[in-house]
C-alpha cells in the first residue's frame, strides 16, 4: 500500500517528487532515501522508487558515495524541474512550499506580483553552509564587502538563514571580527567546509536572542482622517501597531517598512509610519 505522503504528492503532480529530489540534490549536493523519509515520512521503499524513477526519467545519473552514504551530484547534472533560485530551496525548508499548479491560466491573469530581481547565489556556496549549520561547525570563506574592493578570508560559524531587504543573509559568528554578523549570500566568493567545532553557538548571540517590540503609529503630522486610513491599513489597535522581532533584525524590519529613524521624509504622506519607541530600540540600530 502506498503511504499517505507519497499518495498526496502523486495526486497533486506526477512530477512533484522529481522537483523535490532535484531541489535537494542541487542545493545540498547529495540525497538518499533517509533524507526523503525525514522530510515526508514516506516509506524507504517509496523513497528508493522515487530516486530510481527520477534518474530513469531525467538521465541525471547520480554517483553513490560510500563515505556520504548517499547519491551525490556530478558535474554533468542538469536541472529540469527547479528554477535554481535560493528562494525556492529556503522557502521549501521553511514552509514546505511546492510549485503551485492549482490556478488555471485565466485565474492567473487576474493576479500580478512585482518580483524583485533574484540575487545570484551559487549552490557551491550554500552546500558547505548547510553542512556547517547541521554539524555546528565552521566554514572557511572569501567574502566581498561593499567597504572593500578585495574579498577577505575569514572563518565563520553559520547559524541561521535570514531573508531581509529582499536578499538572503547568513547569521554567523566571525572569528576575524570576534562577533556575530550578517553575511549577504550573494557576496561570498568561495566557501569551503572546515569542520572546526563551534565554540560560539547561536545561544551566545545576544542580539539574535533578544526579543524586541517595535511600536509603530501613523506619522503625527498627518491629519486625523489620514491617520485613520493608515490605522486601517495595518489593523492597528488604539492607533498603534506592535511588531515583535529580534534585536539583530530591528534595522532590517524598519527598512522593509520604509520607516526612517534619523530623518523623517519631508512629506508625511510619504513617511506614513513612525517608530514611537525609538529611544528603546536605538541601541540596536547601526550606521
Amino acid at each position: 500500500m502506498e503511504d499517505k505522503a507519497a499518495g498526496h504528492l502523486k495526486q497533486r503532480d506526477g512530477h512533484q517528487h522529481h522537483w523535490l529530489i532535484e531541489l535537494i540534490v542541487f542545493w545540498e549536493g547529495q540525497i538518499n532515501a533517509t533524507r526523503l523519509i525525514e522530510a515526508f515520512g514516506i516509506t524507504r521503499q517509496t523513497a528508493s522508487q522515487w530516486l530510481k524513477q527520477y534518474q530513469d526519467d531525467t538521465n541525471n545519473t547520480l554517483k553513490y558515495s560510500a563515505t556520504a552514504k548517499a547519491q551525490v551530484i556530478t558535474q554533468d547534472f542538469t536541472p529540469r524541474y527547479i528554477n535554481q533560485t535560493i528562494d525556492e530551496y529556503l522557502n521549501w525548508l521553511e514552509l514546505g512550499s511546492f510549485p503551485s499548479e492549482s490556478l488555471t491560466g485565466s485565474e492567473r491573469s487576474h493576479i500580478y506580483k512585482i518580483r524583485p530581481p533574484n540575487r545570484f547565489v551559487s549552490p557551491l556556496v550554500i552546500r558547505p553552509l548547510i553542512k556547517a549549520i547541521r554539524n555546528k561547525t565552521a566554514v572557511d570563506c572569501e567574502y566581498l564587502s561593499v567597504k572593500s574592493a578585495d574579498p577577505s578570508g575569514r572563518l565563520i560559524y553559520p547559524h541561521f538563514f535570514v531573508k531581509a531587504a529582499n536578499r538572503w543573509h547568513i547569521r554567523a559568528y566571525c572569528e576575524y571580527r570576534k562577533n556575530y554578523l550578517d553575511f549577504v549570500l550573494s557576496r561570498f566568493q568561495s566557501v569551503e567546509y572546515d569542520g572546526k567545532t563551534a565554540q560560539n553557538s547561536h545561544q551566545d548571540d545576544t542580539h539574535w536572542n533578544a526579543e524586541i517590540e517595535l511600536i509603530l503609529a501613523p506619522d503625527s503630522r498627518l491629519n486625523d482622517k489620514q491617520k485613520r486610513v493608515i490605522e486601517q491599513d495595518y489593523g492597528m489597535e488604539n492607533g498603534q501597531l506592535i511588531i515583535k522581532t529580534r534585536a539583530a533584525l530591528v534595522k532590517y524590519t524598519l527598512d522593509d517598512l520604509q520607516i526612517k529613524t534619523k530623518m523623517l521624509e519631508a512629506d508625511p504622506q510619504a513617511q506614513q509610519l513612525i517608530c514611537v519607541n525609538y529611544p528603546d530600540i536605538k541601541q540596536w540600530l547601526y550606521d
Side-chain angles (χ1 to χ4, degrees):
M1 179 180 292
E2 186 175 45
D3 52 275
K4 292 182 179 179
H8 175 66
L9 291 178
K10 185 175 181 180
Q11 289 175 8
R12 290 186 59 185
D13 185 345
H15 295 295
Q16 201 86 324
H17 52 278
H18 284 12
W19 175 88
L20 170 66
I21 290 170
E22 194 164 278
L23 188 75
I24 294 174
V25 168
F26 186 77
W27 290 107
E28 298 182 10
Q30 62 183 44
I31 193 169
N32 57 20
T34 300
R35 183 72 178 92
L36 292 174
I37 292 169
E38 290 174 349
F40 290 99
I42 58 178
T43 64
R44 183 168 296 277
Q45 180 182 7
T46 298
S48 298
Q49 289 174 349
W50 282 11
L51 288 170
K52 183 179 184 303
Q53 191 64 53
Y54 173 78
Q55 295 189 74
D56 289 344
D57 290 350
T58 63
N59 292 322
N60 266 332
T61 303
L62 303 174
K63 183 178 180 180
Y64 181 76
S65 167
T67 302
K69 296 181 180 179
Q71 302 287 342
V72 299
I73 197 168
T74 65
Q75 291 183 341
D76 298 327
F77 186 86
T78 304
R80 290 173 169 79
Y81 296 93
I82 60 174
N83 63 28
Q84 303 179 53
T85 63
I86 188 60
D87 289 79
E88 185 181 33
Y89 172 71
L90 294 178
N91 284 341
W92 171 74
L93 276 187
E94 180 188 14
L95 305 172
S97 300
F98 281 86
S100 176
E101 301 295 337
S102 60
L103 295 180
T104 65
S106 60
E107 288 173 326
R108 290 179 188 275
S109 67
H110 301 304
I111 301 172
Y112 188 87
K113 183 178 181 181
I114 297 177
R115 302 181 185 277
N118 293 316
R119 301 198 182 207
F120 175 74
V121 180
S122 169
L124 298 179
V125 165
I126 298 299
R127 292 168 194 164
L129 288 175
I130 291 174
K131 185 176 181 180
I133 289 175
R134 290 175 176 168
N135 295 337
K136 296 181 175 57
T137 51
V139 295
D140 189 10
C141 63
E142 292 281 332
Y143 187 76
L144 186 62
S145 169
V146 292
K147 296 181 179 180
S148 174
D150 299 314
S152 61
R154 60 185 76 195
L155 199 70
I156 67 172
Y157 300 86
H159 302 305
F160 295 96
F161 289 104
V162 180
K163 179 71 176 288
N166 286 323
R167 62 188 184 185
W168 284 98
H169 305 73
I170 191 79
R171 182 77 176 173
Y173 180 81
C174 176
E175 269 202 2
Y176 175 71
R177 295 278 297 275
K178 303 298 182 185
N179 200 4
Y180 292 91
L181 303 172
D182 301 314
F183 297 91
V184 181
L185 292 184
S186 58
R187 293 181 185 166
F188 283 104
Q189 302 300 290
S190 66
V191 180
E192 294 184 5
Y193 182 75
D194 180 272
K196 182 180 178 181
T197 303
Q199 299 299 314
N200 302 87
S201 71
H202 72 275
Q203 296 175 340
D204 303 313
D205 188 349
T206 55
H207 281 54
W208 180 263
N209 293 311
E211 189 175 80
I212 303 300
E213 285 190 348
L214 299 176
I215 304 176
L216 311 180
D219 191 312
S220 58
R221 296 171 295 171
L222 296 170
N223 62 43
D224 289 342
K225 290 184 178 179
Q226 291 172 324
K227 289 179 181 178
R228 285 196 291 272
V229 172
I230 303 301
E231 290 171 8
Q232 180 174 311
D233 280 349
Y234 292 93
M236 294 183 179
E237 294 183 5
N238 300 319
Q240 292 186 340
L241 174 66
I242 298 177
I243 296 179
K244 292 183 178 181
T245 187
R246 298 177 183 273
L249 304 180
V250 165
K251 181 64 166 60
Y252 294 136
T253 304
L254 293 175
D255 285 348
D256 281 352
L257 291 167
Q258 298 182 343
I259 297 176
K260 289 180 170 54
T261 54
K262 288 187 176 181
M263 183 180 296
L264 296 179
E265 292 277 3
D267 183 357
Q269 293 187 45
Q271 176 78 22
Q272 295 194 358
L273 291 175
I274 59 171
C275 182
V276 176
N277 64 331
Y278 174 72
D280 298 331
I281 57 96
K282 183 179 180 180
Q283 61 178 312
W284 307 112
L285 298 175
Y286 53 86
D287 294 329

